[in-house]
Amino acid sequence: MSTIYWEEEIETLPRVGLESIQLKRLQSLVARVYKTVEPYRRKMDVAAIKPEDIQNLNDLKKLPFTVKEDLRENYPFGMFAMPLDDIVRVHASSGTTGKPTVVGYTRKDIDTWAGLMARALACAGTTSGDMVHNAYGYGLFTGGLGAHYGAEKLGATVIPVSGGNTKRQITIMKDFGSTVLLSTPSYALNLAESIEAMGVDPSSLSLRVGIFGAEPWSENMREEVERKLNLKAVDIYGLSEVIGPGVAMECLQTKKGLHVFEDHFLPEIIDPESGEVLLPGEKGELVFTTLTKEAFPIIRYRTKDISSLYYETCECGRTLVRMEKVTGRSDDMLIIRGVNVFPSQVEHVLMGIDGVEPHYQIIVEREGSMDTMSVEVEVSDTVFTDKIKGLEKLTQHITRDIKDILGVTCRVKLVNPRSIKRSEGKAQRVIDNRKI
Ligand code: DLL
């Protein structure tokens, strides 16, 4: 398979060249932010760091971290580095608590972002000949418009279908001949299920590639979607605070780790407890510094996403560092009677068991001083018509595998096919009823 590049020179640049670009951009960013964004200046003054102290890339770690709380305190526009007059668009992501996080873009930022999304699409093998079915939500969420502008820049034909209205999506897919599907992985499954229910043969569709992201998904989930939709599924990562989708992208060649577009976003992995920078290959929290954004630059933003970085050159020829697929967030991690559990681990176990559908929900309760975890899992139609004995056996099988692999005892409840609410965007996997 030959590699399709959007910006071959930069994507394959030897590391020395790349690092020299990064340093220049970092120095100019820090100088600008110190001058124009009061909350950064205050933090740097407290840490006694001046822009001139950034002499090499290693000096990045002298700079204070930025956390979601900083954005909340300066809501809505207090961390913008440009006057509102120069801002041509805002997006926002809804937090679990209180106010949304607001981010802004200048005209140049929008153009940079479109270029990065075009690069991401090309990384997944998309060309100007593709019919891009964009089922990421349009609106304040960065997914829809972010992907849209990138696909247009690439010269592909975009279908701005957004999320929801699933039946109509399938008709469009069939009639327009969609070749590339963009959606959350949970919505891709929802689509797959409806395709089956409508009696459409997935191989009669023209889908070739699925570009899925915005939420964690396991390798087993990848196999499931690839099989059900008859396409190759690749992972796309990003977050509003950094730019939106198009921060890192898996290549179609290897589907092993996501290339970070590090000429624009400098990644670090830190120990979430101590804040210390970890070595390549070590797992920890991802931290990003933007190098080129005008309106909303961000320095050492703690994403809470868990990953690791590795620098080996990829078979696809790209020299850009790869990040391991994000399997969870430090704040998604459930601690059940002292055991750390990520929803994606539960998903991985479930997807490996026959008769279980990829629809599940984890419910956490506190009984007295004890935390309990229940997993509600949908079973397939064939299993559901089985005798009670078969269902009991399946329940025991799931309970045992979760215990063996995750080390935690949970209650498993099998539920009717199609009874768990389907996602149209990001799926809600965990219901935490603990009042702590
Ligand atoms: O989800 C941006 C995006 C849109 C990415 C479309 C990919 C595709 P936010 O709504 O700000 O932005 O949410 C960002 O979603 O910190 C991760 O926890 C999670 N996330 C995003 N991509 C992935 C992924 C968009 N590929 C938050 N795997 C991030 C796992 C992901 N988690």
Side-chain angles (χ1 to χ4, degrees):
M1 191 189 302
S2 66
T3 302
I4 299 169
Y5 297 105
W6 177 247
E7 290 157 299
E8 180 166 359
E9 194 185 333
I10 196 89
E11 292 176 63
T12 57
L13 202 63
R15 289 214 68 81
V16 264
L18 188 61
E19 285 170 10
S20 134
I21 294 177
Q22 289 175 325
L23 179 60
K24 258 191 237 133
R25 290 182 171 175
L26 178 67
Q27 286 171 325
S28 107
L29 164 97
V30 175
R32 191 164 65 87
V33 161
Y34 187 79
K35 221 161 55 196
T36 54
V37 190
E38 214 261 331
Y40 280 118
R41 185 167 54 247
R42 228 180 315 127
K43 271 195 166 185
M44 282 173 64
D45 285 346
V46 170
I49 304 292
K50 290 272 175 279
E52 311 75 79
D53 296 329
I54 307 298
Q55 296 289 332
N56 55 55
L57 287 177
N58 235 336
D59 291 334
L60 174 66
K61 60 173 178 281
K62 294 179 179 166
L63 294 166
F65 290 117
T66 305
V67 293
K68 194 138 194 146
E69 194 50 38
D70 294 314
L71 309 188
R72 220 170 270 144
E73 275 170 18
N74 295 289
Y75 173 86
F77 309 133
M79 293 196 56
F80 285 11
M82 301 284 274
L84 281 179
D85 216 24
D86 294 315
I87 309 290
V88 299
R89 196 195 300 168
V90 290
H91 279 285
S93 69
S94 50
T96 39
T97 49
K99 295 171 186 159
T101 304
V102 185
V103 296
Y105 304 78
T106 61
R107 196 171 297 285
K108 183 157 170 252
D109 289 332
I110 295 286
D111 197 49
T112 307
W113 188 17
L116 289 169
M117 266 312 297
R119 194 196 279 186
L121 289 161
C123 200
T126 315
T127 68
S128 60
D130 275 299
M131 182 66 76
V132 175
H133 188 104
N134 186 16
Y136 285 119
Y138 281 65
L140 284 175
F141 176 53
T142 51
L145 283 169
H148 182 106
Y149 275 60
E152 275 191 359
K153 192 163 189 110
L154 188 74
T157 311
V158 197
I159 313 172
V161 63
S162 195
N165 216 336
T166 306
K167 276 196 182 144
R168 192 183 59 160
Q169 298 233 2
I170 294 162
T171 308
I172 287 176
M173 223 175 239
K174 232 171 46 187
D175 297 348
F176 296 11
S178 311
T179 53
V180 177
L181 170 63
L182 274 75
S183 75
T184 58
S186 57
Y187 189 58
L189 264 183
N190 186 346
L191 279 165
E193 197 174 54
S194 304
I195 284 173
E196 203 183 335
M198 284 166 74
V200 176
D201 175 6
S203 64
S204 72
L205 299 173
S206 312
L207 290 178
R208 187 167 67 73
V209 179
I211 301 178
F212 304 134
E215 64 187 4
W217 51 307
S218 62
E219 283 301 331
N220 284 345
M221 171 85 115
R222 189 199 307 260
E223 280 168 30
E224 180 104 17
V225 201
E226 288 191 331
R227 187 167 44 76
K228 290 194 162 163
L229 286 175
N230 191 36
L231 47 65
K232 284 192 174 152
V234 277
D235 194 2
I236 182 164
Y237 171 87
L239 61 164
S240 325
E241 294 87 335
V242 173
I243 203 159
V247 174
M249 180 72 208
E250 230 171 30
C251 57
L252 195 63
Q253 274 89 347
T254 63
K255 300 197 276 184
K256 258 192 232 126
L258 296 86
H259 290 284
V260 178
F261 296 159
E262 52 173 331
D263 47 330
H264 294 267
F265 313 111
L266 205 52
E268 298 170 273
I269 294 284
I270 62 158
D271 177 331
E273 300 290 319
S274 66
E276 216 170 289
V277 177
L278 299 179
L279 295 172
E282 289 186 316
K283 222 175 166 106
E285 180 180 340
L286 255 175
V287 169
F288 280 105
T289 300
T290 61
L291 296 175
T292 51
K293 268 173 69 198
E294 290 186 336
F296 189 79
I298 204 156
I299 294 182
R300 302 197 84 200
Y301 184 65
R302 292 190 57 163
T303 63
K304 304 223 165 156
D305 293 324
I306 309 290
S307 183
S308 60
L309 295 172
Y310 48 108
Y311 287 85
E312 293 80 12
T313 308
C314 182
E315 282 160 42
C316 73
R318 289 181 180 81
T319 46
L320 300 167
V321 64
R322 274 177 289 170
M323 57 180 256
E324 188 194 0
K325 195 168 170 50
V326 171
T327 47
R329 294 170 57 83
S330 54
D331 55 359
D332 261 2
M333 189 178 80
L334 299 163
I335 304 180
I336 309 292
R337 297 186 297 275
V339 182
N340 297 349
V341 175
F342 284 102
S344 60
Q345 294 174 301
V346 175
E347 176 179 303
H348 190 78
V349 172
L350 295 177
M351 304 284 103
I353 299 174
D354 274 349
V356 168
E357 291 293 303
H359 304 287
Y360 66 94
Q361 217 152 30
I362 300 168
I363 297 141
V364 190
E365 312 266 3
R366 174 155 291 182
E367 290 168 14
S369 59
M370 276 278 270
D371 289 337
T372 62
M373 178 171 105
S374 314
V375 182
E376 291 192 350
V377 196
E378 265 185 33
V379 291
S380 61
D381 281 311
T382 41
V383 170
F384 199 66
T385 51
D386 257 14
K387 302 216 166 61
I388 301 279
K389 212 155 175 207
L391 294 175
E392 265 172 17
K393 242 175 148 177
L394 184 59
T395 308
Q396 282 162 6
H397 183 169
I398 300 170
T399 315
R400 193 182 53 234
D401 278 10
I402 291 180
K403 171 77 185 164
D404 285 354
I405 297 167
L406 275 72
V408 68
T409 306
C410 68
R411 283 184 207 136
V412 170
K413 188 174 166 207
L414 302 181
V415 299
N416 292 354
R418 291 169 291 281
S419 64
I420 289 176
K421 191 168 175 280
R422 297 297 185 256
S423 129
E424 293 192 344
K426 301 195 191 215
Q428 195 194 356
R429 302 291 193 199
V430 180
I431 300 175
D432 196 339
N433 289 327
R434 290 176 295 186
K435 306 256 178 310
I436 301 176

